[in-house]
Amino acid sequence: MKTKAAVLFEVGKPFEVVELDLDGPAQGEVLVRVDAAGLCHSELHLLSGALPTALPIVGGHEATGIVEETGPGVTKVKPGDRVVCTFVPACGLCRYCSTGRQNLCVYGDVPDGPLWDGTYRFHLDGRDVGSFRQLGAFSERLVTSERSIVCVDDTVPPEKAVLVSCGVPTGFGTATETGRVRPGDTVVVFGIGGIGINAVQGAVHAGAAHVVAVDPVAMKRETALEFGATHAFADAAPAIERVRTLTGGEMADQALVTVGEVDQEVVQSAQAAVGKSGTVVITGLANADFEIHAVSDWLLTREVDIRGCIYGSMNPQTDIPRLLDLWRSGRLRLDGLVTATYTLDRINEGYQDLRDGKNLRGVVVFD
């Protein structure tokens, strides 16, 4: 079949929207007609080359849509089901899945490009085209493993369902799971984008007494306050001083780093923000060769924990429906997260808006 998709052919160049050939689903795979796809900051790393991958590749790792066809052996879904795609697969059998750590499933270690069997579903003039995170969400249709989809209630609007594909669980879980925020804690969130705004929501949901947002963009600071942050600052230094005042010098319990690109300056600010037994969570991406530096005496004498985070340490197969239940009950906000929607032909405009700080989250809506 044919599908229109946004393809990256060369690092440093924009996506090109072209028509591709798409194979049908093989063993254990599902064909999804995509309704909506999220514009995540991760693709900016893909475009710049900071996230190395084989090219050409169809971008996009956040999507929702309707199952059109299933391959042999598929038992999870049937044609007509609404699904949310997740860039973190879950086989349910490996040591990580079976111990409640689906975000670390061994099938997530497969390189970007081919699917799990080493073959491709997208093609252009006889040339294989890869799928980012084994999804390739910037396409009218995609084929992926049933491990990478979660069935959700078909009454959930696409523009809401797509948000729980990546941004909401990654941010929310950064606070509640990886950061382990508890009632009464003081939390600092560095970077209020599609991930950081949901880290704010997660910290509020967990009962934090103080949630301090740090972002240079005024719109993002204002939105953080609307979503429950108690304080918002453009720079780290005044935020850290306010934390010192709020806590009587004991400093924050958690510093959550959710900036679009992690550098040593924000890591040092996060370390300065936390007190004894505090936790620094690194959720944002960095260049492949970036190294995190910490003073060993500071780590030892203060027992500070520095933790990496993928997908908010969440289990997509159970936590995506759980987050939608929180939304239905009014305890999680999805309204207000999407700043703008785009057609696929305007995808590069959407990413320029993200670079320019205009969007919390942009979404591509398919006809």
Side-chain angles (χ1 to χ4, degrees):
M1 69 195 77
K2 299 289 185 180
T3 184
K4 189 165 70 171
V7 181
L8 179 63
F9 289 95
E10 183 180 348
V11 167
K13 301 291 186 180
F15 285 112
E16 294 184 35
V17 178
V18 298
E19 187 175 69
L20 301 177
D21 293 309
L22 177 63
D23 296 337
Q27 178 76 28
E29 294 177 354
V30 175
L31 170 66
V32 178
R33 186 188 76 244
V34 180
D35 289 326
L39 303 184
C40 181
H41 204 285
S42 297
E43 273 73 17
L44 288 182
H45 291 273
L46 191 69
L47 290 164
S48 70
L51 194 61
T53 190
L55 301 177
I57 195 164
V58 177
H61 65 281
E62 302 181 1
T64 184
I66 303 297
V67 174
E68 287 194 331
E69 183 182 347
T70 60
V74 171
T75 59
K76 182 185 292 185
V77 294
K78 63 185 183 304
D81 285 345
R82 170 159 297 284
V83 295
V84 168
C85 297
T86 165
F87 77 91
V88 175
C91 70
L93 300 174
C94 71
R95 61 177 293 193
Y96 303 104
C97 285
S98 62
T99 53
R101 295 173 289 171
Q102 292 177 7
N103 65 310
L104 299 177
C105 178
V106 296
Y107 283 91
D109 296 332
V110 176
D112 290 320
L115 296 190
W116 290 266
D117 63 359
T119 63
Y120 295 78
R121 301 297 171 268
F122 292 115
H123 311 278
L124 178 63
D125 298 329
R127 180 185 183 186
D128 291 333
V129 178
S131 306
F132 187 50
R133 303 308 300 163
Q134 289 88 55
L135 291 172
F138 297 157
S139 175
E140 295 171 321
R141 287 175 171 80
L142 64 83
V143 170
T144 191
S145 168
E146 66 174 333
R147 301 184 188 103
S148 291
I149 59 172
V150 179
C151 193
V152 298
D153 190 326
D154 61 8
T155 63
V156 180
E159 64 273 16
K160 299 292 190 299
V162 70
L163 297 172
V164 297
S165 176
C166 170
V168 173
T170 298
F172 196 91
T174 291
T176 62
E177 305 300 323
T178 317
R180 299 170 184 167
V181 176
R182 298 164 298 180
D185 280 355
T186 296
V187 182
V188 186
V189 182
F190 292 89
I192 308 299
I195 304 299
I197 191 63
N198 290 297
V200 169
Q201 289 211 83
V204 172
H205 179 82
H210 308 292
V211 180
V212 180
V214 183
D215 198 287
V217 179
M219 175 272 290
K220 295 182 179 182
R221 297 194 301 273
E222 293 165 4
T223 305
L225 293 170
E226 292 173 6
F227 275 72
T230 55
H231 305 78
F233 296 88
D235 301 301
I240 292 170
E241 285 308 306
R242 180 58 62 89
V243 168
R244 193 182 309 278
T245 301
L246 290 169
T247 62
E250 293 184 353
M251 307 307 291
D253 299 285
Q254 295 87 11
L256 313 178
V257 180
T258 55
V259 295
E261 185 167 337
V262 176
D263 57 24
Q264 193 60 38
E265 181 180 357
V266 72
V267 172
Q268 289 176 341
S269 295
Q271 293 177 17
V274 297
K276 292 183 178 181
S277 194
T279 300
V280 175
V281 179
I282 309 294
T283 301
L285 288 173
N287 289 330
D289 58 353
F290 176 73
E291 296 180 356
I292 293 175
H293 299 283
V295 178
S296 60
D297 182 63
W298 175 81
L299 284 172
L300 292 171
T301 60
R302 299 172 72 86
E303 288 195 354
V304 172
D305 188 10
I306 300 179
R307 308 191 69 195
C309 171
I310 183 169
Y311 209 76
S313 302
M314 283 199 158
N315 296 306
Q317 301 299 318
T318 55
D319 285 332
I320 284 176
R322 182 170 68 90
L323 289 168
L324 288 173
D325 285 342
L326 286 174
W327 165 66
R328 290 189 189 91
S329 68
R331 300 177 66 192
L332 175 69
R333 282 190 60 180
L334 298 181
D335 294 323
L337 292 179
V338 177
T339 315
T341 60
Y342 306 86
T343 61
L344 184 62
D345 292 329
R346 296 174 56 212
I347 190 168
N348 292 308
E349 177 187 342
Y351 271 109
Q352 189 57 51
D353 287 345
L354 183 57
R355 291 186 187 96
D356 293 340
K358 295 180 180 179
N359 286 348
L360 279 176
R361 179 55 46 121
V363 171
V364 170
V365 177
F366 292 83
D367 293 332

